[in-house]
Amino acid sequence: MEHTVVLRNRWSILALFVAAVTAVAVVGSLAAMDSGAEYLTLERPAWAPPQWLFGPAWTLLYFLIAVSGWLAWQAGGWSSAHLVYAAQLALNLAWTPLFFAAGQYGLAFAEIVLLWLAIVANTVAFWRISRAAALLLVPYLLWVSYAAALNFAIWQLN
């Protein structure tokens, strides 16, 4: 009986992480309702990805972010590392409205630099708890690095 409660709790916590990350994704997508059309009107560097790549890339990344938070929780319970996790999610959420809804490319670049720093801090914090959790954040960090360079280039070109 106790084992069943622990298993149920474990899966409930995973659902909580998935729900939190999904909320960030949904709010971001609401702020970027016309982002596809807007992206196509922007001057972009030659190395900019095609518009269709963003949806699949972020879907995978959000899944990895949710599992990462859950693995860190499983390894060490709730900790200060999860405050860093929450901070990077909040910064993730803030970027899309700044870039697409407000068209504030310079401010969005400053914000994505903060997001990048928060992801690094989150990765380091999770490394101390669960290497698997930390490693799942690496693709996110790489994508945000690329996105920051793209944001900067778009800011300069537009």
Side-chain angles (χ1 to χ4, degrees), residues 27-109:
V27 171
S29 69
L30 291 174
M33 290 296 279
D34 297 322
S35 64
E38 182 179 341
Y39 180 73
L40 294 176
T41 67
L42 294 171
E43 291 292 324
R44 300 178 311 276
W47 46 269
Q51 172 191 353
W52 63 264
L53 183 61
F54 291 100
W58 276 110
T59 299
L60 174 62
L61 292 171
Y62 282 133
F63 174 75
L64 295 175
I65 294 164
V67 173
S68 173
W70 179 65
L71 287 175
W73 170 81
Q74 275 197 175
W78 298 109
S79 70
S80 60
H82 284 95
L83 294 175
V84 180
Y85 179 86
Q88 64 82 10
L89 280 179
L91 288 165
N92 179 306
L93 181 110
W95 183 86
T96 303
L98 285 173
F99 189 89
F100 286 110
Q104 295 293 317
Y105 307 131
L107 188 55
F109 177 71

